[in-house]
Amino acid sequence: MKDYLLQLADNALILGHRLGEWCGHAPEMELDIALTNIALDLTGQARSLYQRIAELEGLGPNGASKDEDDYAYLRDAWEFRNSLLVEQPNGDFAHTIVRQFIFDSYHYYMCQALTQSTDEWLAGYAAKSLKEITYHLRFSSEWMLRLGDGTEVSHAKMQAAIEDLWTFSGELSTPNEVEKNMASQGIGVDLTKIKPAIEAKWPKCSPPQTSRPPLVHGCNRAERTATTLNTWVSSSQKCSSCSGPTQDRSGEH
Amino acid sequence: MTSLNFETIFQSKIDDETKIEPKDWMPDAYRKTLIRQISQHAHSEIVGMLPEGNWITRAPSLRRKLILLAKVQDEAGHGLYLYSAAETLGADRDDLVQQLLTGKAKYSSIFNYPTLNWADIGAIGWLVDGAAIMNQVMLTRTSYGPYARAMVRICKEESFHQRQGYEIMIAMAKGSPEQKAMAQDSLNRWWWPSLMMFGPSDSESTHSDQALKWKIKRKSNDELRQQFVDVTVPQAEYLGLTVPDPALHWNEARDHYDFGEINWDEFWSVVKGNGPCNRQRLQARVKAYEDGAWVRDAAIAYAEKKEQRKLAPEAAVKAA
Amino acid sequence: MKNTWPLWEVFIRSKSGLSHKHVGSLHASDAEMAVENARDLYTRRNEGVSIWVVESKHITASDPDDSDPLFEPAKDKIYRHPTFYSVPDEVTHM
């Protein structure tokens, strides 16, 4: 359970962190506000989840309980459970929008399914977050269209961003051991069931020629849960087959 | 009616505390003064996002990170409220932004100082927002309606900004010796620039008299500065920090604090572009504007295409 | 021509039962974006339950120079106001 919540929380934290980097530098001032709003929502979601984990963990051997910041700030890079997608650098605005759209479409259907969780707390958390995520998905879907179907320049930039980021889409909808286990208990979401909905959303927001079949390969988090790097630590080494970061010590992932 | 008559009527409205609204007749100089002042104020909010935005990724707790995100976001919002007020006077936002980016328009010099440690985020909230609020509370009663209404909104929202800053200062000043030293260092660096925020002294200020007559401003620079010192010094004492001014003392007879002379050479030097971060701040804004051009263009192109597609089926029907 | 997003005026209903009220303006490339920008800019603190946006160029305003012919004539029609009429104190609920 704790690992499952950590995955959800770390995704929200890291993506919120990335979006926060835009603050003051966005393409238009109205967009500074919009991106910050999404960052606030995601950071808030991460906070609730970390608080819940601390609650579930209870008192540690030293008689003290952990708090949200212990998880957000006092873990090492390899202990983070976020997907590779969310830690990708902001790049240009096209990269930010494509990253956001891929994540939002997963996040939306995942959270929608999570409202049916047998765990009362998670179901409540999902119901609350879904309202925020619905808005995020609308925002990123609209921008996919504006930029994909805007000018030749924007189209080319979107195409490049999709080429760069699509490889990370598979990981989100491919269940790892933690997710399989939680889904089998009715607590977590069965990703195989929502995958068609996620993939059906993609072409709707990809104008002609920008669309590309979703890449199913991706990187599988289950194979490298111990190696996930995050935005606090960036790696220059990339896996030759999937562009994911490799693990520093063994070179495996 | 002659323009002299118009001016008499205009001034009598001001004297009667009747607000001036966008389409009302107003002297050209009033319009120009307002556009200049409101847009400078807007630029200050937008440039002001940078020194604090610098710490969003490094805020020391999730709570602090959320607060800072919300605060910097508010500043973008306040910039937009103000540009919106300036646009009611016939100015175009993009023209105003161009003036900022080309260095023709000024913004508050305070943002040309660097944020070096986390206590600076506290000091900005406490001192810089504190000084800004003094000015803004006065401006809620300014004679131009849209500006006054924007200020009411801004003041309501700003009240949390100063409090969160002071809260950070309390945490640092009452924390470890290292934290207290950071808080003191921060006060040392921000105190004088904060006093400079009120502008040149009344004897030097070129725009002050007319602005007071038109009730754009309702208090002079020196009055506001005194008011700021009087409320802020006890707050520093509560923190156990020392205000970096040996001349500072309570004057019983005046019922105010006396304080030392501002380093006006530094003031004018930073105004003229030679502060520690002037170049860096403008470069960041220019980069955001230039890097964003293709995004803004694409959004317009898409809106036009969508509009055409809406019209196209009708045209097809008519042709048939 | 300059390629900038057009200006929109924003009206917010602060709660059900009240009219939409003008709150300010913003820039957006299309109507959907205008609503979203309005939501982010003018309702960050729960200030609204409904938003209207209209491109500023579509608003027609009365001319302040016409305010005498437009609004003065209504001032002396005091018989439109209930206080114009005298009703005996004994008569209630009127």
Side-chain angles (χ1 to χ4, degrees), chain A:
Chain A
M1 181 70 162
K2 184 193 144 196
D3 283 337
Y4 188 65
L5 295 179
L6 268 180
Q7 288 182 13
L8 299 177
D10 290 349
N11 272 343
L13 178 77
I14 302 298
L15 187 56
H17 186 80
R18 282 297 192 208
L19 291 173
E21 292 172 347
W22 272 108
C23 197
H25 308 275
E28 184 53 288
M29 294 175 273
E30 276 86 355
L31 283 170
D32 276 311
I33 300 184
L35 294 173
T36 311
N37 248 356
I38 300 176
L40 280 167
D41 286 344
L42 290 170
T43 312
Q45 289 170 12
R47 210 178 162 199
S48 311
L49 289 161
Y50 291 135
Q51 285 169 357
R52 177 63 180 166
I53 298 167
E55 209 177 287
L56 292 176
E57 280 203 332
L59 299 182
N62 57 355
S65 60
K66 286 190 177 176
D67 70 20
E68 58 194 43
D69 292 327
D70 289 323
Y71 300 102
Y73 290 85
L74 300 180
R75 278 181 299 154
D76 262 314
W78 56 84
E79 294 176 276
F80 276 77
R81 296 286 177 272
N82 61 285
S83 64
L84 287 171
L85 176 75
V86 296
E87 69 190 46
Q88 296 309 307
N90 285 338
D92 62 10
F93 194 64
H95 282 78
T96 293
I97 288 299
V98 170
R99 182 186 64 195
Q100 193 65 34
F101 174 69
I102 296 173
F103 183 75
D104 289 343
S105 45
Y106 146 80
H107 207 196
Y108 174 80
Y109 291 107
M110 188 281 294
C111 214
Q112 195 180 47
L114 198 59
T115 59
Q116 305 303 312
S117 170
T118 54
D119 181 85
E120 207 179 317
W121 187 91
L122 254 183
Y125 161 83
K128 183 175 174 288
S129 304
L130 188 61
K131 291 176 193 161
E132 296 172 342
I133 298 163
T134 304
Y135 187 81
H136 304 170
L137 180 59
R138 186 195 302 175
F139 174 86
S140 56
S141 303
E142 285 180 7
W143 275 103
M144 285 293 284
L145 292 174
R146 280 191 193 105
L147 299 179
D149 196 16
T151 60
E152 275 178 33
V153 173
S154 71
H155 181 86
K157 284 181 188 285
M158 286 298 274
Q159 186 64 52
I162 288 174
E163 300 286 343
D164 287 347
L165 293 167
W166 215 249
T167 189
F168 300 106
S169 65
E171 181 184 4
L172 291 167
S173 51
T174 310
N176 58 25
E177 287 312 313
V178 172
E179 285 160 332
K180 282 180 197 161
N181 180 16
M182 283 290 110
S184 72
Q185 296 178 50
I187 297 171
V189 172
D190 184 349
L191 292 174
T192 55
K193 283 195 185 145
I194 60 163
K195 196 169 179 169
I198 299 174
E199 288 173 2
K201 178 79 187 164
W202 287 336
K204 281 187 201 151
C205 292
S206 311
Q209 289 133 45
T210 314
S211 61
R212 185 181 156 165
L215 208 106
V216 191
H217 150 59
C219 295
N220 193 325
R221 190 167 40 203
E223 291 161 14
R224 38 147 219 94
T225 41
T227 70
T228 306
L229 297 180
N230 58 82
T231 58
W232 321 110
V233 175
S234 61
S235 163
S236 56
Q237 291 174 286
K238 300 277 179 198
C239 164
S240 56
S241 68
C242 69
S243 315
T246 54
Q247 200 209 34
D248 289 342
R249 273 160 291 180
S250 67
E252 290 170 3
H253 76 282

Side-chain angles (χ1 to χ4, degrees), chain B residues 27-279:
Chain B
D28 262 357
Y30 178 81
R31 185 185 301 275
K32 279 189 189 139
T33 303
L34 274 173
I35 292 176
R36 183 178 49 80
Q37 185 177 324
I38 298 173
S39 61
Q40 278 183 12
H41 197 159
H43 301 330
S44 302
E45 296 281 355
I46 299 301
V47 176
M49 295 168 71
L50 299 170
E52 287 176 287
N54 187 23
W55 282 87
I56 288 173
T57 52
R58 293 178 286 166
S61 70
L62 288 181
R63 176 173 174 270
R64 285 287 165 207
K65 184 167 171 147
L66 283 171
I67 293 169
L68 189 57
L69 267 170
K71 176 177 191 273
V72 180
Q73 186 195 39
D74 272 350
E75 278 150 19
H78 297 170
L80 293 186
Y81 300 158
L82 287 159
Y83 284 124
S84 164
E87 286 190 290
T88 63
L89 289 157
D92 176 82
R93 185 170 101 186
D94 197 55
D95 292 340
L96 300 174
V97 169
Q98 290 305 330
Q99 289 169 14
L100 169 71
L101 301 182
T102 53
K104 277 187 208 127
K106 300 285 176 217
Y107 55 88
S108 181
S109 279
I110 193 83
F111 301 118
N112 291 319
Y113 290 86
T115 44
L116 302 178
N117 75 48
W118 173 251
D120 287 4
I121 301 305
I124 288 183
W126 171 39
L127 299 174
V128 177
D129 291 320
I133 289 167
M134 294 262 145
N135 196 33
Q136 287 165 350
V137 166
M138 167 191 80
L139 288 171
T140 59
R141 298 192 300 123
T142 191
S143 57
Y144 185 59
Y147 192 20
R149 292 192 284 275
M151 277 302 144
V152 169
R153 221 185 156 90
I154 289 173
C155 282
K156 258 192 225 165
E157 300 188 354
E158 286 262 343
S159 54
F160 105 74
H161 294 187
Q162 195 188 11
R163 281 175 183 226
Q164 66 85 34
Y166 196 65
E167 200 186 83
I168 292 175
M169 291 309 282
I170 293 178
M172 301 284 282
K174 312 274 178 198
S176 67
E178 291 84 356
Q179 287 172 325
K180 187 170 180 185
M182 283 166 99
Q184 181 64 54
D185 169 57
S186 183
L187 173 59
N188 292 348
R189 284 180 290 109
W190 291 95
W191 175 256
W192 288 107
S194 299
L195 294 194
M196 293 177 198
M197 283 177 72
F198 297 97
S201 76
D202 296 347
S203 54
E204 300 283 327
S205 180
T206 43
H207 305 294
S208 255
D209 285 351
Q210 188 61 59
L212 285 169
K213 187 176 166 226
W214 280 333
K215 296 189 183 169
I216 294 176
K217 294 179 65 161
R218 324 218 30 153
K219 285 179 182 172
S220 75
N221 295 352
D222 287 337
E223 276 177 89
L224 286 168
R225 190 165 15 239
Q226 181 71 58
Q227 194 185 339
F228 175 75
V229 172
D230 289 349
V231 303
T232 310
V233 170
Q235 293 166 356
E237 281 167 3
Y238 177 83
L239 293 172
L241 299 178
T242 310
V243 174
D245 178 2
L248 184 80
H249 70 273
W250 179 251
N251 183 326
E252 199 71 50
R254 286 205 312 129
D255 209 20
H256 287 296
Y257 280 97
D258 288 342
F259 53 97
E261 186 67 18
I262 285 171
N263 180 346
W264 293 111
D265 289 341
E266 177 183 331
F267 173 81
W268 290 113
S269 165
V270 181
V271 168
K272 288 181 181 132
N274 301 319
C277 299
N278 293 59
R279 285 177 58 76

Side-chain angles (χ1 to χ4, degrees), chain B residues 287-307:
Chain B
K287 186 172 187 315
Y289 187 84
E290 286 176 355
D291 289 355
W294 70 271
V295 176
R296 298 190 301 273
D297 289 348
I300 291 178
Y302 177 72
E304 281 164 3
K305 279 187 199 174
K306 213 167 50 166
E307 202 57 35

Side-chain angles (χ1 to χ4, degrees), chain C residues 1 9 12 15 19-21 25 27 36-39 41 46-47 54 63 73 75-78 86:
Chain C
M1 205 204 91
E9 299 299 324
I12 304 276
K15 59 178 187 182
S19 304
H20 286 76
K21 191 177 156 198
S25 62
H27 288 261
E36 284 157 26
N37 288 352
R39 175 254 195 193
L41 182 56
N46 274 318
E47 293 98 330
V54 59
D63 186 341
K75 279 192 187 159
D76 63 358
K77 305 210 172 33
I78 47 175
S86 51

